[in-house]
Amino acid sequence: MMENEILHQVENKDLERLLEIFRPAIKKSLHHTRMQEREDLEQEISMKILEKLNYLQDIKTPDFFEFIEYSID
């Protein structure tokens, strides 16, 4: 269910909602860091998620015939 919600948010480019989906996991991982560094690290992790999302959106997936062409070569 969560994967479908993530894909839906990505397709709609609702980045704020996407970060809200990941926020519980981010917060949980921050318990292993010092209190003084948590806010900065949370921002860094959020920025990395958005950077990777932009990168993944730019990747062109080959269609069937392109895939076959590359596979034969």
Side-chain angles (χ1 to χ4, degrees):
M1 178 76 174
M2 185 174 177
E3 290 177 10
N4 289 338
E5 186 176 356
I6 291 171
L7 290 175
H8 178 72
Q9 301 307 327
V10 170
E11 289 172 359
N12 292 334
K13 299 195 185 304
D14 189 356
L15 302 179
E16 189 64 35
R17 177 66 185 126
L18 185 66
L19 288 176
E20 287 300 318
I21 293 170
F22 282 105
R23 193 159 319 280
I26 294 171
K27 294 276 189 193
K28 184 176 180 182
S29 67
L30 291 175
H31 287 295
H32 303 290
T33 61
R34 290 186 295 205
M35 194 67 133
Q36 301 89 334
E37 298 175 357
R38 286 184 186 176
E39 187 175 336
D40 290 338
L41 188 55
E42 181 178 357
Q43 290 176 359
E44 288 291 324
I45 293 171
S46 296
M47 285 176 32
K48 287 294 181 185
I49 289 172
L50 295 177
E51 285 175 15
K52 295 303 175 185
L53 178 63
N54 287 335
Y55 172 75
L56 291 174
Q57 286 177 329
D58 290 341
I59 294 176
K60 181 184 179 300
T61 306
D63 63 19
F64 177 74
F65 295 107
E66 290 173 335
F67 177 76
I68 296 298
E69 182 179 319
Y70 291 129
S71 297
I72 293 174
D73 289 339

